[in-house]
Amino acid sequence: MASTRVKTTKTGGATQAERLQASSLQRREQQRENLRGAILAAAGELFLEQGYEAFSMRQVAERIGYSATTIYRYYEDKDDLLFAIVHEGFTEFQRELVAAAESAADPIERMVALGAAYVRFGMQNPVHYRLMFMQRLDFVFDQRKDEQQPMVGSFDVLQRAVASAMDAGAIERGDVERHSQVIWALVHGITSLALANGGRFGPDDVDRTMEIAMKMMVRGLRP
Amino acid sequence: MASTRVKTTKTGGATQAERLQASSLQRREQQRENLRGAILAAAGELFLEQGYEAFSMRQVAERIGYSATTIYRYYEDKDDLLFAIVHEGFTEFQRELVAAAESAADPIERMVALGAAYVRFGMQNPVHYRLMFMQRLDFVFDQRKDEQQPMVGSFDVLQRAVASAMDAGAIERGDVERHSQVIWALVHGITSLALANGGRFGPDDVDRTMEIAMKMMVRGLRP
Amino acid sequence: MASTRVKTTKTGGATQAERLQASSLQRREQQRENLRGAILAAAGELFLEQGYEAFSMRQVAERIGYSATTIYRYYEDKDDLLFAIVHEGFTEFQRELVAAAESAADPIERMVALGAAYVRFGMQNPVHYRLMFMQRLDFVFDQRKDEQQPMVGSFDVLQRAVASAMDAGAIERGDVERHSQVIWALVHGITSLALANGGRFGPDDVDRTMEIAMKMMVRGLRP
Amino acid sequence: MASTRVKTTKTGGATQAERLQASSLQRREQQRENLRGAILAAAGELFLEQGYEAFSMRQVAERIGYSATTIYRYYEDKDDLLFAIVHEGFTEFQRELVAAAESAADPIERMVALGAAYVRFGMQNPVHYRLMFMQRLDFVFDQRKDEQQPMVGSFDVLQRAVASAMDAGAIERGDVERHSQVIWALVHGITSLALANGGRFGPDDVDRTMEIAMKMMVRGLRP
DNA sequence: TATGAATGAGTATTCATTCAT
DNA sequence: AATGAATGAATACTCATTCAT
């Protein structure tokens, strides 16, 4: 019935019909984004609780109280939904890396800050990290998806830091991409081992390990 | 016997039951006593061919020509069997690390040799590496399971190398375990990124990346 | 508009809804009035490409860039749409039979020409033939649906040829309808076996078989 | 418990254990064949009631009161089960053709008897006929399955009849296989049209049509 | 006139595991 | 020591169709 429509607006301007249509469209868009978001959120939760293997479309559907079919209106298939989670994760990841990069003016300090931010993200979002960097690393390198590519963007942040450190003479000159890979490998290694080690590898352990690692990195790359 | 009847009534594509019956004849050649070993071997092969997700008890059973039930006599459940594969992988891994460690007298060279051996193992046994270090890293730290612990043993090899390098004054003194972790993290990071990157990360790339990494490590840890 | 937002948040593989939206722009070119015709054409194509089992309303809708719901405005349900395809097929079928009938003045030659045209139609429109004469033969005899009945019309062409052959004394007198049925059965049998046999029954085989069949028919019906 | 075992046998001869094992095996075989048969029967019924499209593994399972999974112990997949139905049909079909062939000594009469038997089978087993000759004609020509091939066997019966009619000079000499195809096409055409026509094509109609068809065939092939 | 949203029912198939023998 | 039988639960995904707007 029209009752719901009346609620939304009532003031002058355009034709009533036009206003109705416009707001109706907007509402639909809103609803669509809402549900899309709700699915994503539910998927994230489920994934967090049950892990990669147990994650299933049906359970996501049940969690939001919609039929399983409905999900397919919003996400093409399971991979598409998982990809969305990964995408979300990388967006946040990139944000944190950028913030870290901006937090330090000194090239060396910036690199260290980036390393710390990387590991911190992993420790604070273990489920996402696992999905992003361990279970579905294929998404990261899969160019076909995602034009904005926060995956690549994240790596770029690191690469730029390395490049400017080289420019500043803070570290020895060399292949920027490859040096970045080495640093990435180092922090990724620490993070994934820490995550796997679960209980026995507390925040303190990570900090102390990182201290050694960063020191090694800085001294090892010095000109 | 009635058994032939079954064959005649049903032709063409074989039923599960029939496939079992057929392979049952073939299997007598196989050792009876070390059926446990045969299962493990078959499981390893299957795992290598199909990967973690596709690995299934039924297929292992079919491969050795025993009923699925039989496997449960030798391995408690799927995880138990997977653990055995991991264990086997670590045994080989340890062997290669030990060989690498023995190949070099100089403490620094030994550490570099260990790093190279680590990465080489990953590149040459990608399926096992993924299982051991990425998919089921939990096994590594799961003390309850393994008494001989080649997992821990492998790490010890590294730790000893680090310790003796410190003793020899080749690298700065410090917490041996933690330094070892950093090195492990570095090579693990490189290996897992290389594996994930699949096509775009050929042997040459790995070599070049390792060159930088090892150089950074050596210089970074120098007293 | 918010519509662009949808596009940006979600990238890569398109959702159902998005694919619809995209093709919706494209479709304006299409005729509005004879949307019914456009649907039919798309359905025909799809059916031809995918076959009976894979044919689905959703895919038809997607192909013309309208929502699935829209189709239901023009066709009651799936069967109704399929019936329309069959109807179309029979219209063409009748056209070809009529042409064949008119191509020969001699009564016997005309019957042979009809037989040849029948089989040719089947070989050249295998998908439609299967639908019309094998999968949904029920449509042919379903009086309720069609008023113009090109199905019946096609049969009439044959019946008239038989009748005039009888009148001319070219074939023995007898029950026209029944004689026509026999001839229809003969050519239908040949066509359907040829279609089913797929690869092994090439055009040459059909020709040679038809030669025998037509000769048998002609001699068998001679007064 | 042993109680069930005791029931089976109790008389002398071999070791008790041996006897037990033997009868136990036999019983199992029996049971296996029973269930296999029960599935096939249920599948046939279901198929008969619901038709090809609606036929599903789940429903077959439900009908016999077993879990869906169980069926897969006896039939590899849906096609395998359908094939079994077809096979069963062709076995009966061949039996009836052979009986018809043996019922007549005269070559011409034999051919007519075969034609009649063919059509009769179709009219009396419409569902099987449809599956065998219309829906899954691919099974008939699919060499890979079924070594005994009652499909091919059935056709051989006809071919032999044609060959001996030629030898006896009852029909004109010519390509046996092709002549057989024509005859097959004729009776298949009649049968499938009769089946499709459903109500309006009663047994009498079929008889009268066949009368004309057979007469045409006999006269048309006469030397 | 057209549509977006939603659904319920259904599909074949696979899996790890248990149990009585 | 080994097995055949059986199962329950689960999976992703597709379809025709309805309804309010």
Side-chain angles (χ1 to χ4, degrees):
Chain A
M1 286 298 116
S3 64
T4 53
R5 271 196 241 138
V6 175
K7 267 180 212 155
T8 12
T9 328
K10 236 177 179 173
T11 42
T15 316
Q16 197 192 27
E18 284 170 358
R19 259 181 293 117
L20 281 179
Q21 208 170 8
S23 71
S24 154
L25 195 79
Q26 208 181 349
R27 204 179 58 246
R28 262 220 275 270
E29 286 290 345
Q30 190 57 48
Q31 272 173 12
R32 182 170 170 80
E33 278 312 296
N34 282 168
L35 189 42
R36 211 184 135 85
I39 292 172
L40 186 57
E45 276 174 41
L46 175 64
F47 180 71
L48 201 119
E49 289 167 22
Q50 314 269 28
Y52 181 66
E53 315 260 89
F55 178 85
S56 95
M57 297 299 258
R58 268 140 96 118
Q59 285 199 50
V60 171
E62 200 170 316
R63 198 170 271 255
I64 56 167
Y66 279 81
S67 83
T69 314
T70 297
I71 297 191
Y72 287 88
R73 275 197 72 76
Y74 296 87
Y75 295 92
E76 247 212 339
D77 53 20
K78 200 185 178 185
D79 254 36
D80 193 29
L81 181 48
L82 281 173
F83 179 80
I85 300 178
V86 167
H87 182 98
E88 196 191 34
F90 268 103
T91 305
E92 173 60 19
F93 181 59
Q94 189 180 15
R95 198 178 359 255
E96 297 188 13
L97 287 192
V98 168
E102 288 169 350
S103 74
D106 176 69
I108 292 293
E109 273 173 31
R110 178 179 299 156
M111 282 171 60
V112 171
L114 277 174
Y118 186 108
V119 176
R120 198 185 323 118
F121 175 86
M123 301 310 286
Q124 278 168 3
N125 308 278
V127 186
H128 275 83
Y129 189 86
R130 273 206 192 84
L131 182 62
M132 291 156 63
F133 289 109
M134 298 167 80
Q135 275 140 339
R136 297 306 299 264
L137 238 178
D138 57 307
F139 282 152
V140 179
F141 298 104
D142 198 340
Q143 302 282 7
R144 137 190 79 97
K145 298 213 161 203
D146 203 353
E147 295 108 26
Q148 303 163 269
Q149 308 244 38
M151 291 79 164
V152 172
S154 308
F155 188 60
D156 281 349
V157 176
L158 174 57
Q159 245 175 317
R160 277 195 298 273
V162 169
S164 72
M166 282 184 184
D167 285 348
I171 66 174
E172 203 179 27
R173 299 214 153 270
D175 183 329
V176 172
E177 189 181 353
R178 228 168 272 285
H179 276 77
S180 305
Q181 273 170 355
V182 170
I183 296 170
W184 186 9
L186 179 61
V187 288
H188 166 59
I190 289 168
T191 310
S192 58
L193 293 178
L195 288 183
N197 213 340
R200 258 148 314 177
F201 218 72
D204 285 4
D205 287 289
V206 176
D207 285 353
R208 268 187 294 242
T209 302
M210 272 298 283
E211 210 174 316
I212 297 174
M214 291 296 101
K215 188 177 159 197
M216 176 185 88
M217 179 188 81
V218 169
R219 294 176 52 185
L221 299 180
R222 207 153 38 196
Chain B
M1 288 294 118
S3 64
T4 52
R5 220 192 301 150
V6 175
K7 253 182 222 155
T8 36
T9 22
K10 179 55 189 25
T11 54
T15 305
Q16 215 179 68
E18 287 160 0
R19 264 183 275 123
L20 273 178
Q21 211 167 12
S23 56
S24 155
L25 298 171
Q26 211 181 348
R27 91 182 119 108
R28 300 294 162 191
E29 312 140 20
Q30 296 208 341
Q31 321 90 316
R32 283 230 152 247
E33 307 81 58
N34 64 351
L35 185 46
R36 204 182 141 90
I39 292 172
L40 184 56
E45 277 173 42
L46 177 64
F47 178 71
L48 201 114
E49 291 167 22
Q50 315 268 26
Y52 183 65
E53 316 259 89
F55 178 85
S56 96
M57 297 298 258
R58 272 144 89 116
Q59 285 195 49
V60 171
E62 196 170 320
R63 196 172 271 254
I64 55 166
Y66 280 79
S67 85
T69 317
T70 300
I71 297 188
Y72 287 87
R73 238 165 230 286
Y74 296 88
Y75 295 92
E76 240 186 17
D77 54 18
K78 200 186 178 185
D79 253 35
D80 196 27
L81 181 49
L82 278 174
F83 179 80
I85 299 177
V86 167
H87 183 97
E88 209 191 13
F90 268 104
T91 304
E92 172 60 19
F93 181 58
Q94 187 178 17
R95 201 181 353 260
E96 296 188 14
L97 288 193
V98 167
E102 288 169 351
S103 73
D106 176 70
I108 291 293
E109 274 173 29
R110 179 179 297 157
M111 281 171 60
V112 171
L114 277 175
Y118 186 108
V119 176
R120 199 185 322 118
F121 176 85
M123 301 310 285
Q124 279 169 1
N125 309 279
V127 186
H128 276 84
Y129 189 87
R130 274 207 191 83
L131 180 64
M132 292 156 63
F133 289 108
M134 298 168 79
Q135 277 144 338
R136 299 306 299 264
L137 238 179
D138 56 307
F139 284 152
V140 178
F141 300 103
D142 197 340
Q143 303 282 4
R144 134 191 81 97
K145 287 253 179 181
D146 203 352
E147 298 105 26
Q148 305 162 272
Q149 308 243 39
M151 290 78 162
V152 172
S154 307
F155 189 60
D156 281 349
V157 176
L158 175 58
Q159 247 177 314
R160 278 195 298 273
V162 169
S164 71
M166 283 182 183
D167 285 349
I171 66 173
E172 202 181 27
R173 300 217 152 268
D175 183 328
V176 173
E177 189 182 353
R178 232 167 270 287
H179 276 79
S180 305
Q181 273 170 354
V182 170
I183 295 169
W184 188 8
L186 179 61
V187 287
H188 167 59
I190 288 169
T191 310
S192 58
L193 293 179
L195 289 183
N197 213 339
R200 260 149 310 178
F201 219 72
D204 284 3
D205 289 290
V206 175
D207 286 352
R208 270 187 293 242
T209 302
M210 272 299 282
E211 213 174 314
I212 297 175
M214 292 296 100
K215 189 178 159 199
M216 176 185 87
M217 179 187 82
V218 170
R219 295 176 51 185
L221 300 181
R222 212 159 26 201
Chain C
M1 288 296 116
S3 63
T4 53
R5 219 192 301 150
V6 175
K7 252 182 223 153
T8 36
T9 23
K10 180 55 188 27
T11 53
T15 305
Q16 218 178 66
E18 286 160 358
R19 263 183 277 124
L20 274 178
Q21 212 167 11
S23 56
S24 155
L25 297 171
Q26 211 180 348
R27 90 184 120 105
R28 301 293 163 191
E29 313 141 20
Q30 295 210 343
Q31 320 89 319
R32 282 228 154 249
E33 307 81 58
N34 65 351
L35 185 46
R36 203 183 142 89
I39 293 172
L40 184 57
E45 276 174 41
L46 177 64
F47 179 72
L48 203 113
E49 290 167 22
Q50 315 268 26
Y52 183 66
E53 316 259 271
F55 178 85
S56 96
M57 297 298 257
R58 272 145 90 117
Q59 286 196 48
V60 170
E62 197 169 319
R63 196 172 272 254
I64 55 166
Y66 280 80
S67 85
T69 318
T70 300
I71 298 189
Y72 287 88
R73 239 165 228 288
Y74 296 88
Y75 295 93
E76 241 187 16
D77 54 19
K78 200 186 180 185
D79 253 35
D80 196 27
L81 181 49
L82 279 173
F83 179 80
I85 299 177
V86 167
H87 183 97
E88 208 192 14
F90 268 105
T91 305
E92 171 61 18
F93 182 57
Q94 188 179 15
R95 201 181 353 259
E96 296 189 13
L97 288 193
V98 167
E102 287 170 351
S103 74
D106 176 69
I108 292 293
E109 275 172 27
R110 178 179 299 157
M111 283 171 58
V112 171
L114 278 174
Y118 186 108
V119 175
R120 200 185 323 118
F121 176 85
M123 302 309 286
Q124 279 169 2
N125 308 280
V127 187
H128 276 84
Y129 189 88
R130 274 207 192 85
L131 180 64
M132 291 156 63
F133 289 109
M134 299 169 78
Q135 277 145 337
R136 298 306 298 263
L137 239 178
D138 56 306
F139 283 153
V140 179
F141 300 104
D142 198 340
Q143 303 283 4
R144 134 190 81 98
K145 288 251 180 183
D146 203 352
E147 297 105 28
Q148 305 161 273
Q149 309 245 36
M151 291 81 163
V152 172
S154 308
F155 189 59
D156 281 348
V157 176
L158 174 58
Q159 246 175 319
R160 278 197 296 274
V162 169
S164 72
M166 282 184 185
D167 285 348
I171 67 172
E172 204 180 24
R173 299 214 153 270
D175 182 329
V176 172
E177 188 180 356
R178 232 168 269 287
H179 276 78
S180 304
Q181 273 170 353
V182 170
I183 295 169
W184 188 8
L186 180 61
V187 287
H188 167 59
I190 289 167
T191 310
S192 58
L193 293 179
L195 288 183
N197 213 341
R200 260 150 311 179
F201 219 72
D204 284 4
D205 288 289
V206 174
D207 286 351
R208 270 188 293 245
T209 301
M210 272 299 282
E211 210 175 316
I212 297 174
M214 291 296 100
K215 189 176 158 198
M216 178 185 86
M217 179 188 80
V218 169
R219 294 176 52 184
L221 298 182
R222 209 153 36 195
Chain D
M1 285 297 118
S3 64
T4 53
R5 273 199 240 136
V6 176
K7 267 182 213 155
T8 14
T9 328
K10 237 181 176 171
T11 43
T15 316
Q16 199 192 26
E18 284 170 358
R19 258 180 294 118
L20 280 180
Q21 207 170 10
S23 70
S24 154
L25 195 79
Q26 209 180 349
R27 203 177 58 245
R28 261 221 274 270
E29 287 289 344
Q30 190 58 47
Q31 272 173 11
R32 180 170 171 81
E33 278 311 296
N34 283 168
L35 189 43
R36 210 183 136 85
I39 292 171
L40 186 57
E45 276 174 43
L46 176 64
F47 180 71
L48 200 118
E49 290 167 23
Q50 314 268 30
Y52 181 67
E53 314 261 88
F55 178 86
S56 96
M57 296 299 258
R58 268 140 95 118
Q59 284 199 49
V60 170
E62 198 171 316
R63 198 171 271 256
I64 56 166
Y66 279 81
S67 82
T69 314
T70 298
I71 297 192
Y72 287 87
R73 274 197 72 75
Y74 296 87
Y75 295 93
E76 248 211 338
D77 53 20
K78 201 186 178 185
D79 253 35
D80 194 29
L81 181 47
L82 281 173
F83 179 79
I85 301 178
V86 167
H87 182 98
E88 197 190 34
F90 267 104
T91 304
E92 173 60 18
F93 181 58
Q94 187 179 18
R95 199 180 357 257
E96 296 188 14
L97 288 193
V98 167
E102 288 170 350
S103 74
D106 177 68
I108 293 293
E109 275 173 29
R110 180 179 297 156
M111 283 170 59
V112 172
L114 277 174
Y118 185 108
V119 177
R120 199 185 321 119
F121 175 86
M123 302 309 288
Q124 279 168 2
N125 307 279
V127 186
H128 275 83
Y129 188 88
R130 272 206 194 85
L131 182 62
M132 291 155 64
F133 290 109
M134 298 168 77
Q135 274 140 339
R136 297 306 298 265
L137 240 178
D138 57 306
F139 282 153
V140 178
F141 299 105
D142 198 339
Q143 302 284 5
R144 133 191 80 97
K145 298 212 162 202
D146 203 353
E147 295 107 24
Q148 303 162 268
Q149 309 244 37
M151 291 77 163
V152 171
S154 307
F155 189 59
D156 281 349
V157 176
L158 174 57
Q159 246 176 317
R160 279 195 297 274
V162 169
S164 71
M166 282 184 184
D167 286 347
I171 66 172
E172 203 180 25
R173 300 214 152 269
D175 183 328
V176 172
E177 191 181 352
R178 227 168 273 285
H179 277 77
S180 305
Q181 272 171 357
V182 170
I183 296 169
W184 188 9
L186 180 61
V187 288
H188 167 60
I190 289 168
T191 310
S192 58
L193 294 179
L195 288 182
N197 213 340
R200 259 149 312 176
F201 218 71
D204 284 3
D205 288 289
V206 174
D207 285 351
R208 270 188 292 242
T209 302
M210 272 299 282
E211 212 174 314
I212 296 174
M214 292 296 102
K215 190 177 157 197
M216 177 186 85
M217 177 187 81
V218 169
R219 294 176 53 183
L221 299 181
R222 209 153 35 194

